[in-house]
Amino acid sequence: MGRPIRTRRQATLASLAAELGVSRTTVSNAYNRPDQLSPELRRRVLETARRLGYPGPDPVARSLRTRKAGAVGLLLTENLSYAFRDPAAVGVLEGLALACEDAGVGLHLVPASPGREDVAAVHRAGVDGFVVYSVPDDDPHLAAVLERPVPTVIIDQPRVEGVDRVGPDDAAAVTELAEHLVALGHRQVGVLCMRLARERNDDFVDPQRQSGAHFHVQRTRLEALAVAFSAAGVDWAGVPVVERFDHTVDDGASGARQLLDAYPQVTAVICTSDILALGALAEAERRGLRVPLDLTVTGFDGISEAERSGLTTVHQPVLEKGKVAGRLLLGSAERVGPKVITLPTELQIGRTSAPPRTVEEPWFGG
């Protein structure tokens, strides 16, 4: 039998302090409070630590001692890749990361795939607070977050009594968009919306499902459209609304296909996100429809891809949304009571909206 391999024993804070002839507090300050040491002393501590193989203070022990994790948790009820794929989510994530950088804290992503009931990821997350990004009001992960004794800020949805929230005035923004379409003369409209509940549905939705939506942003946008078009004499119960569970351009295209196959007389497709609207534009092109001469298409978000496409949309400051939410969370200890911050939006009229084609105008689309 061979001899056991002898490994060098890892240095500890105590052994490093003894080697340097300084206190353990001095060694700790070299890592955690460098302003307490002269540059020369800190350099000597760190160089000796490298020579002896000291890895630095144990972060787990430090968090147990200080009861601070030094990180913010971001809860989103999507697969992890969504945070890096969806343009609006990317903007929010960047803004939140900037706020964390300014505060010198980390960012811990806590993804929760749609339909999953296991909330262990929330319980395991070593964070000092949560930012919850756009989840339904009945999501179990949200309930688990609110049970944790840490501050929480919600971005967009849902509205929870006594909890900080950041987001736009969706009703006012959509009302302005609807009034633009009404002024152009559109009365035969269809809607393509994002998911309304945690269970999958990729089909037409009736008014009951619309009014009972657990994603209140989508519910609010649909309600605002209903009010605006009803005021213009449109029976909202007869307006086709198609829901898509997944949020991709392909889903927007398939939703528009379903809508236009069943209601070819529609003159405008109103999408509750730019991603869905980009899909609707692709489907219009596939069908040979001229946008906006044969079909008006609108979105919501103001992402860069929409701007390049000339989409008529509502622009919301997604990067600022993440940044404001982060600052609100990190500054929550300095104030008393919940705070709701409403961010401004802007209607951007692009190349995809125009008056509806009249019956006298020739149409060669197919």
Side-chain angles (χ1 to χ4, degrees), residues 211-292:
S211 62
H214 288 283
F215 284 89
H216 93 247
V217 166
Q218 297 301 303
R219 184 175 72 240
T220 298
R221 292 178 186 178
L222 291 172
E223 288 172 347
L225 289 172
V227 170
F229 279 99
S230 295
V234 176
D235 178 11
W236 186 256
V239 173
V241 178
V242 173
E243 178 183 357
R244 278 297 179 265
F245 187 82
D246 292 322
H247 190 228
T248 69
V249 172
D250 287 343
D251 285 283
S254 70
R257 187 177 312 127
Q258 184 176 17
L259 175 63
L260 294 172
D261 281 349
Y263 296 87
Q265 73 275 20
V266 161
T267 64
V269 176
I270 306 167
C271 304
T272 62
S273 80
D274 286 348
I275 291 293
L276 296 180
L278 291 173
L281 289 175
E283 175 60 18
E285 182 179 7
R286 190 192 71 82
R287 301 170 85 95
L289 293 173
R290 302 164 299 173
V291 176

Side-chain angles (χ1 to χ4, degrees), residues 184-204:
L184 289 175
H186 291 282
R187 299 298 183 272
Q188 294 181 311
V189 300
V191 180
L192 183 54
C193 74
M194 296 169 66
R195 75 175 70 133
L196 301 177
R198 288 194 293 139
E199 69 275 9
R200 177 175 287 276
N201 179 63
D202 292 300
D203 209 341
F204 290 96

Side-chain angles (χ1 to χ4, degrees), residues 122-190:
V122 173
H123 294 151
R124 288 195 305 264
V127 297
D128 300 318
F130 283 95
V131 171
V132 176
Y133 179 41
S134 196
V135 305
D137 54 26
D138 63 343
D139 191 275
H141 301 88
L142 171 65
V145 164
L146 297 178
E147 289 171 356
R148 295 275 303 265
V150 294
T152 299
V153 174
I154 293 173
I155 295 179
D156 288 340
Q157 57 189 343
R159 299 186 184 97
V160 178
E161 187 71 27
V163 178
D164 293 344
R165 187 171 62 84
V166 177
D169 186 336
D170 288 283
V174 170
T175 296
E176 187 179 8
L177 174 64
E179 289 174 346
H180 166 64
L181 296 178
V182 167
L184 289 175
H186 291 282
R187 299 298 183 272
Q188 294 181 311
V189 300

Side-chain angles (χ1 to χ4, degrees), residues 13 17 22-33 36-37:
L13 184 144
V22 299
S23 69
R24 286 182 292 182
T25 299
T26 296
V27 174
S28 177
N29 284 343
Y31 291 90
N32 301 320
R33 302 179 66 189
Q36 299 296 305
L37 305 182

Side-chain angles (χ1 to χ4, degrees), residues 108-123:
H108 177 71
L109 298 184
V110 187
S113 300
R116 288 188 59 184
E117 300 292 328
D118 183 10
V119 298
V122 173
H123 294 151

Side-chain angles (χ1 to χ4, degrees), residues 3 19-20 37 43 57 65-66 89 91 130 139 149 165 183 192 201 209 231-232 253 256 262 269 296 300 344:
R3 293 165 121 190
E19 173 76 15
L20 289 162
L37 305 182
R43 183 189 60 77
R65 185 174 65 255
T66 64
F130 283 95
D139 191 275
R165 187 171 62 84
L192 183 54
N201 179 63
R209 182 171 174 85
V269 176
T296 282
F300 195 111

